[in-house]
Amino acid sequence: DISPLLKDPAAFRALIDLLEDHLRASFPHIDFIAGGCLDSRGFLIGPPLAQRLGIGFVPIRKKGKLPGPTESVLYTLEYGKAELEIQSDAVEPGQKVVIVDDLLATGGTMRAACELMKRLKAEILECLVIIELKLLKGSEKLESIPFYSLLQYD
């Protein structure tokens, strides 16, 4: 739970600083930060990070939340099924994207977000999260997509 982090402006600024530093050191060019809407708390990280980097933010939402034509993917959660969407014109083929969320648990939601980006033919540079729950092995579902977590818990 990142709620305490969100309540502390200095801590939140430090978090965005760390994520910005990581991305600037890792990738010379990023077109978009994507995701964030995978979970409502993750949505609070993507836009400020994109703004710091001087790039756009592309929302990925639960089905039925985005206007216009969309691409969607149905995926399995540990407690059922869900569906994510992205606007069909959100990115152009070959654009470089980093997918951001607050937490990686079983990896189903992040994998679905990656599938949406692949359908739009974006180049996924990395999946980036604040917290990874390593015992659940979610990063294994991302296969060959680069993955980075700021904090890991066993």
Side-chain angles (χ1 to χ4, degrees), residues 112-150:
C114 291
E115 176 61 30
L116 288 173
M117 285 296 154
K118 288 177 182 177
R119 287 185 188 179
L120 296 182
K121 298 180 173 47
E123 180 183 341
I124 303 168
L125 297 175
E126 184 173 77
C127 293
L128 172 66
V129 298
I130 300 169
I131 301 167
E132 176 187 8
L133 303 179
K134 290 190 74 75
L135 272 175
L136 299 177
K137 300 180 181 179
S139 63
E140 292 176 9
K141 286 189 179 172
L142 303 178
E143 298 165 355
S144 63
I145 297 170
F147 172 74
Y148 180 81
S149 57
L150 197 57

Side-chain angles (χ1 to χ4, degrees), residues 14-26:
L15 167 69
I16 299 301
D17 288 346
L18 287 169
L19 297 176
E20 177 188 8
D21 291 346
H22 163 72
L23 290 177
R24 286 192 188 279
S26 301

Side-chain angles (χ1 to χ4, degrees), residues 85-99:
E85 287 185 323
I86 189 168
Q87 289 175 308
S88 299
D89 62 354
V91 298
E92 294 179 19
Q95 286 189 307
K96 299 174 185 314
V97 177
V98 172
I99 302 173

Side-chain angles (χ1 to χ4, degrees), residues 19-20 23-24 27-34 45-58 90-91 95-100 125 128:
L19 297 176
E20 177 188 8
L23 290 177
R24 286 192 188 279
F27 305 106
H29 178 77
I30 303 168
D31 292 304
F32 292 105
I33 297 294
I45 294 143
L49 182 57
Q51 192 275 328
R52 284 273 194 93
L53 295 168
I55 60 176
F57 174 77
V58 174
V91 298
Q95 286 189 307
K96 299 174 185 314
V97 177
V98 172
I99 302 173
V100 176
L125 297 175
L128 172 66

